[in-house]
Amino acid sequence: MGWFGRWRRHWFGLGYALYQHLAGVLGALALAAVLQHLVHVGWQGALADLVSYWSGYVRPGVRWVLELIVRPLRLLGWDIAIPAVVVDYVSVGSIFALSVLRALHRTERRWSAADLSVFILCFAGWPAYVPLFGWISIRSKENRRWMLLALLPIAYLILLLTTNYILGIPG
């Protein structure tokens, strides 16, 4: 392999790593938004701004996509309101399911019909699949790295919560 091939592979690897971490941060913010519906976290300082960006920018975009799905039902006479918790649940499901697909297709593996069912199961049932993927990553040496990459949002959420706790300690 020549210098150009090594250079290209290096930059592709760097870009892919950047994408994985960006998706992990977005997933952590989505999880923080869902967590906010369950318990009051009381975000401190810059983290409060970061979490509020989710509410101000991402949540309206996801709501708009869900409105496209619900609009035909409204034309049929159904009165459907989309609560914020559903919008945040769908956001986390989308990020998690796409992370799982990214982990499954890390190599030249061909797409199959089973990938759609994996996507739908991870999208709709992500609260059950998060511990399952954690368990798989512990048990399987072959898939450990890829399962942990799919769970990167959990690691970033723990980092966010820890930082928030430290910021909340009176000095």
Side-chain angles (χ1 to χ4, degrees), residues 80-108:
I80 299 175
I82 304 170
V85 68
V86 170
V87 173
D88 292 336
Y89 186 91
V90 166
S91 300
V92 173
S94 300
I95 292 168
F96 182 64
L98 290 172
S99 292
V100 169
L101 285 182
R102 180 187 70 230
L104 285 174
H105 291 281
R106 67 196 177 277
T107 60
E108 298 298 321

Side-chain angles (χ1 to χ4, degrees), residues 11-159:
W11 284 104
F12 177 78
L14 187 62
Y16 189 70
L18 181 65
Y19 160 75
Q20 289 170 329
H21 288 282
L22 182 63
V25 169
L26 287 175
L29 290 173
L31 285 167
V34 169
L35 185 65
Q36 193 70 19
H37 293 290
L38 303 173
V39 294
H40 177 69
V41 176
W43 295 103
Q44 307 289 322
L47 294 178
D49 294 335
L50 195 59
V51 173
S52 71
Y53 286 142
W54 180 267
S55 298
Y57 295 106
V58 177
R59 192 178 286 154
V62 175
R63 184 178 296 280
W64 180 80
V65 170
L66 290 175
E67 287 290 335
L68 290 176
I69 296 168
V70 171
R71 187 168 304 220
L73 298 174
R74 287 189 180 138
L75 292 175
L76 294 173
W78 294 14
D79 186 25
I80 299 175
I82 304 170
V85 68
V86 170
V87 173
D88 292 336
Y89 186 91
V90 166
S91 300
V92 173
S94 300
I95 292 168
F96 182 64
L98 290 172
S99 292
V100 169
L101 285 182
R102 180 187 70 230
L104 285 174
H105 291 281
R106 67 196 177 277
T107 60
E108 298 298 321
R109 184 179 153 304
R110 291 192 163 295
W111 289 86
S112 67
D115 293 336
L116 179 61
S117 61
V118 167
F119 179 82
I120 291 171
L121 287 171
C122 290
F123 174 78
W126 64 263
Y129 276 85
V130 167
L132 177 66
F133 272 56
W135 184 75
I136 289 172
S137 69
I138 292 169
R139 305 266 307 160
S140 169
K141 288 184 180 180
E142 176 187 339
N143 296 320
R144 179 173 295 146
R145 178 177 179 211
W146 306 110
M147 293 300 104
L148 290 175
L149 284 175
L151 295 174
L152 198 56
I154 304 293
Y156 277 117
L157 177 66
I158 292 168
L159 182 65

